[in-house]
Amino acid sequence: MSMLADLVEVVIGVDTHKDTHTAALLDTRTGGVLARATVSADPDGYAELVALAGQHSGLRAWALEGSGGYGAGLARHLADADELVIELDRPVRPARRGGAKSDAIDAERAARDALARTRLAQPKTGPQRAALQARLTARRAAVEASATAQRQLHALVITSPEVVRARFRGQSTRAMLTTATRLRPTTNADVEVFNCLTVLRDLARRVRFLEAEAAEHEKAIRVIVRSWRPDLLQLTGVGPIVAATVLTAWSHPGRCRNDAAFAMLAGAAPIPASSGKTVRYRLNRSGDRQLNRALHTIVLTRLQRDERTRAYADRRRAQGKTDREIKRCLKRYIARDIYRRLETPPQPLDAT
C-alpha cells in the first residue's frame, strides 16, 4: 500500500480540543514544518485552517486526532470541502517523562505519525451513521442506568425492615418493580419504613421511565436501519441494535480495505503469537468492543437457532476445539460475511 508521502506534498496534523484546534503543516519531501496555527473550534476557525493550507501549493492531506470527538466538526467541514482526511486513533507518543508536550508538538507529531503509517484510516462519515450513533449511545446509557436502578432496588429491599421486605419476598425482578410502583407510603408509618417505601417507589418509576426511553430509541433505530440497510435485518441473529452497531462501526464503503481489516476492527481477528516450533494465536482484545459484542450476539443466536451453525460447531468440537475456540472461529466467519454484504449495495426491489 502507498504511504501518504507518495500521495501528497503537504500534511496538516491537527491536535483537536473543545475550544481550539492547533495545526502544523509539514512538507512531505523535507519533513520541515511550513506553518503552525491555533484557531477556534468553530466554522470560522475551520475556514482559517483551510485558507492557511491553501497558501501552500500541492496536494494535501489532513491528519486528525479525535475525528469522532473534538474534531468531528472539523472533519465534517473538510469532508464538505472534498479534502483528504486521515483518522488517527492513537498517535505514537513518547513517554511523558522523556518527551515534550504541547498542542503544537502534538499537532506536528500527528502529521509525522500519518506520514509513517502504511495503512491509512478514513473518518466515519454520513448522517445516518451519526444518527444511529446518537441513538445507540442514548439507549445504552438508559439501559445501563435502568440496570443500576434495579440493583439498587434489590439492595434496598434486602436491607429494609421486615414489614417492607415481606412485600417483595419470593418475587422476580419484574414483579418487584410492579409492587414497588404501586406503593403508597403514609406518614403514619415509622420514619424508616416511610422512606424505604418512598425510595423503592421512586426507583421503580425510574426503571419504568428508562425502559420506555430505551424502547423509543430502539424504535427509532429500527426505522433508520430499515431505511438504510434493511438487508441486514434478514440475517439470522441480527436485530436492529446489532445492525446499528455494525453500521456505525463500518460507516461507509471503502473505510475498511478488506474483510480482514473489518475483523481486526471488531477484535475478531486472531493475533499470531508463535515462537520457534510453537504455532499458536492469541485472543484479540483490541478493536471496537461494541462491534465485537454484536458479533458475539449473532454467534450465540445462531448456535441456538441455525442448523448449519450447530452442525459446524459439532464438527469442530469433534476435532478437539473448545466451545470458546469455536465461537472465536464463528466470529471471524460472520465478520467476513457481514463485511462482504455491507460492501455490496442492497439490490432494489423489482417493481414489476
Side-chain angles (χ1 to χ4, degrees):
M1 180 179 292
S2 299
M3 298 186 67
L4 190 59
D6 300 328
L7 304 176
V8 298
E9 286 78 37
V10 177
V11 175
I12 306 100
V14 185
D15 184 37
T16 60
H17 293 277
K18 179 180 179 181
D19 298 317
T20 62
H21 294 339
T22 300
L25 283 71
L26 266 66
D27 189 320
T28 60
R29 295 164 295 182
T30 65
V33 178
L34 301 174
R36 291 189 176 92
T38 297
V39 301
S40 58
D42 55 34
D44 292 337
Y46 306 154
E48 186 178 343
L49 283 182
V50 174
L52 176 64
Q55 296 175 8
H56 302 273
S57 60
L59 298 176
R60 60 178 178 259
W62 300 75
L64 299 189
E65 283 191 47
S67 62
Y70 289 144
L74 177 59
R76 291 193 194 95
H77 185 90
L78 295 175
D80 293 340
D82 293 327
E83 297 279 345
L84 174 60
V85 181
I86 306 301
E87 179 184 44
L88 298 181
D89 50 354
R90 184 177 296 177
V92 178
R93 300 180 185 273
R96 180 61 56 87
R97 183 172 57 184
K101 175 73 173 72
S102 72
D103 292 347
I105 292 175
D106 285 346
E108 180 181 342
R109 188 175 292 132
R112 297 192 186 281
D113 186 21
L115 286 173
R117 294 192 179 191
T118 58
R119 297 175 178 176
L120 306 175
Q122 302 175 18
K124 299 176 183 178
T125 60
Q128 293 168 310
R129 188 215 64 82
L132 284 178
Q133 185 66 65
R135 288 288 185 174
L136 281 175
T137 301
R139 178 187 177 276
R140 189 178 304 121
V143 170
E144 291 174 355
S146 174
T148 299
Q150 291 179 54
R151 289 192 294 269
Q152 292 173 340
L153 186 143
H154 272 279
L156 184 57
V157 167
I158 293 173
T159 58
S160 294
E162 180 59 28
V163 64
V164 176
R165 189 175 182 182
R167 301 190 183 192
F168 298 91
R169 184 168 283 112
Q171 293 185 351
S172 64
T173 300
R174 305 313 302 176
M176 290 175 66
L177 288 172
T178 301
T179 301
T181 304
R182 296 172 179 173
L183 292 175
R184 296 295 182 269
T186 61
T187 55
N188 297 331
D190 178 82
V191 61
E192 181 182 7
V193 172
F194 171 77
N195 284 280
C196 284
L197 292 175
T198 301
V199 173
L200 287 170
R201 182 191 60 189
D202 292 344
L203 284 172
R205 290 177 176 177
R206 183 189 305 172
V207 171
R208 297 294 193 194
F209 174 80
L210 290 169
E211 289 178 341
E213 179 184 340
E216 286 298 319
H217 289 310
E218 183 171 349
K219 186 184 300 182
I221 288 170
R222 185 186 295 273
V223 171
I224 298 172
V225 171
R226 282 180 173 172
S227 65
W228 185 10
R229 292 304 297 260
D231 54 313
L232 291 182
L233 299 176
Q234 301 173 5
L235 299 177
T236 303
V238 178
I241 303 304
V242 169
T245 303
V246 170
L247 287 169
T248 53
W250 169 75
S251 180
H252 58 274
R255 181 170 183 265
C256 295
R257 62 188 179 279
N258 52 36
D259 64 273
F262 182 74
M264 184 63 72
L265 173 64
I271 298 177
S274 303
S275 178
K277 296 182 179 180
T278 302
V279 179
R280 59 180 292 269
Y281 294 86
R282 70 172 178 86
L283 177 65
N284 187 345
R285 292 185 173 88
S286 62
D288 188 325
R289 305 315 298 173
Q290 293 299 325
L291 178 56
N292 185 279
R293 183 178 180 179
L295 294 181
H296 188 72
T297 300
I298 298 174
V299 168
L300 294 181
T301 303
R302 292 188 179 184
L303 284 173
Q304 293 178 349
R305 304 179 182 178
D306 186 64
E307 290 299 327
R308 294 187 304 169
T309 304
R310 295 173 67 177
Y312 169 83
D314 291 340
R315 185 173 70 254
R316 297 305 296 254
R317 199 175 291 116
Q319 296 172 356
K321 294 287 187 181
T322 65
D323 287 347
R324 180 174 294 182
E325 291 172 334
I326 293 171
K327 290 175 183 177
R328 292 175 188 168
C329 293
L330 286 171
K331 280 186 182 181
R332 180 64 182 88
Y333 295 147
I334 291 172
R336 178 186 297 118
D337 178 63
I338 289 180
Y339 171 80
R340 292 175 178 175
R341 181 178 290 267
L342 288 171
E343 292 294 311
T344 304
Q347 297 297 325
L349 297 177
D350 190 358
T352 58

